[in-house]
Amino acid sequence: MSKKYYSPIKEYSKVKKRHPFYKLFRAIIKLFFPKNEVIWQTDKPSDNEPIFYVCNHTRLYAPVFFLLSKKPVRVWSNYYFLFYKECWQHLKNKVFQNHKYLLPLGFILTPLIVLLFRAFEPIPVYHKSSKVITHTFEKSIETLQSGMDQAIFPERTENRVNKYIFQFNHGFPLMAQIYYEKTGKKLKFYPVYCAQKLRKVVIGNPIEYNPNIPMKIQRTQICEYLEKQIEILGDSLPEHKPVLYNF
């Protein structure tokens, strides 16, 4: 039986992708990306326990930090950056909506963006679709079962809950219930605050999925706990200006 490899765009790949362009790109970015101090304010999990990080988004800094980590971390990323047509539509209708003069540049960059995103093999994030269950959550669970860490940046771009972050989307905790039903394991969500200005990444006390609490209630409890903990983590650092996600 042929070996199956992770793929963000299909069920699996039969061939392990090498991505030399991405490896070169990553190496160059790593040369210039600032060194960050990682501070654990909680007990660090054992090496055989995959970690689920829930982090403030910043703009690009926090995702890049995790992508450059020594220990591989699979990040959650919007699905449309993985497909040419969807990526172009997003750039045209959202990113460059008020800058039409940049559309030719967006058109040229689209294939490069897609190749780059496919290369780092994210967990594809779908919204208000059956693919949330069949693709996003399945890929997240597949990542957990492989023993690989993952990171999500679930901030919205409105409803600021404290000086560090905007309100979290409440969808992602549902995958903990599905993971428990499949494996009997209770997932822990670790709050993470990335202080870009201070070059520090702080990790706090996790919250564990509780199968005895209805998910409708618990998804709100989990998100509110993580939002509050990120505020506590931010306040534990020297005074600094947070980098927010509202482009």
Side-chain angles (χ1 to χ4, degrees):
M1 185 176 178
S2 60
K3 194 168 182 180
K4 297 178 181 179
Y5 297 95
Y6 181 88
S7 170
I9 59 174
K10 52 188 178 182
E11 185 178 357
Y12 62 89
S13 176
K14 292 182 180 179
V15 179
K16 186 170 178 61
K17 307 292 184 180
R18 299 298 176 186
H19 302 296
F21 165 75
Y22 172 66
K23 288 183 178 179
L24 176 62
F25 179 81
R26 186 177 182 274
I28 293 171
I29 295 298
K30 200 165 187 175
L31 282 175
F32 297 97
F33 195 77
K35 187 176 181 181
N36 290 264
E37 179 186 5
V38 178
I39 304 168
W40 284 85
Q41 291 190 1
T42 185
D43 293 332
K44 193 173 181 180
S46 62
D47 289 338
N48 59 358
E49 180 185 345
I51 305 172
F52 196 113
Y53 299 105
V54 182
C55 186
N56 62 310
H57 202 300
T58 65
R59 290 190 173 93
L60 293 174
Y61 195 90
V64 171
F65 164 79
F66 280 103
L67 286 172
L68 297 180
S69 297
K70 271 187 181 178
K71 185 181 179 184
V73 178
R74 185 164 287 146
V75 302
W76 288 45
S77 176
N78 284 311
Y79 78 95
Y80 39 75
F81 291 120
L82 293 163
F83 302 96
Y84 298 103
K85 180 180 177 182
E86 288 83 350
C87 182
W88 166 238
Q89 290 299 320
H90 176 72
L91 293 179
K92 183 171 68 171
N93 299 325
K94 297 287 186 180
V95 178
F96 299 137
Q97 184 179 17
N98 299 319
H99 306 281
K100 299 296 185 183
Y101 61 93
L102 291 175
L103 284 177
L105 176 63
F107 186 77
I108 293 169
L109 289 177
T110 293
L112 295 176
I113 292 170
V114 171
L115 289 174
L116 183 64
F117 272 73
R118 288 185 180 185
F120 67 72
E121 299 181 338
I123 293 166
V125 179
Y126 289 84
H127 304 276
K128 298 179 182 178
S129 160
S130 61
K131 289 184 177 181
V132 173
I133 304 295
T134 60
H135 288 62
T136 304
F137 290 170
E138 279 297 315
K139 292 297 180 182
S140 176
I141 291 169
E142 179 184 341
T143 299
L144 288 170
Q145 291 179 315
S146 72
M148 189 174 182
D149 297 344
Q150 60 188 286
I152 185 174
F153 315 91
E155 278 186 83
R156 302 177 183 181
T157 54
E158 57 185 10
N159 298 335
R160 193 168 176 179
V161 293
N162 57 58
K163 67 180 181 180
Y164 302 105
I165 54 171
F166 289 85
Q167 185 181 23
F168 284 170
N169 287 297
H170 286 194
F172 71 92
L174 178 58
M175 61 82 51
Q177 179 181 350
I178 300 171
Y179 181 60
Y180 178 78
E181 290 168 353
K182 278 194 169 190
T183 67
K185 296 178 181 179
K186 291 184 282 187
L187 183 63
K188 294 178 181 178
F189 296 99
Y190 283 80
V192 182
Y193 176 61
C194 176
Q196 179 174 337
K197 300 292 184 180
L198 299 177
R199 307 294 188 250
K200 295 181 187 293
V201 176
V202 195
I203 303 161
N205 293 314
I207 183 170
E208 186 176 77
Y209 166 71
N210 186 341
N212 298 317
I213 300 175
M215 180 47 68
K216 188 175 182 180
I217 297 172
Q218 190 172 183
R219 66 200 300 182
T220 299
Q221 291 177 341
I222 288 172
C223 288
E224 288 181 350
Y225 171 85
L226 293 167
E227 290 167 354
K228 183 61 180 175
Q229 287 301 306
I230 287 175
E231 181 180 23
I232 292 170
L233 295 175
D235 286 345
S236 72
L237 296 173
E239 188 67 29
H240 63 285
K241 184 180 179 181
V243 176
L244 297 172
Y245 182 47
N246 59 336
F247 282 93

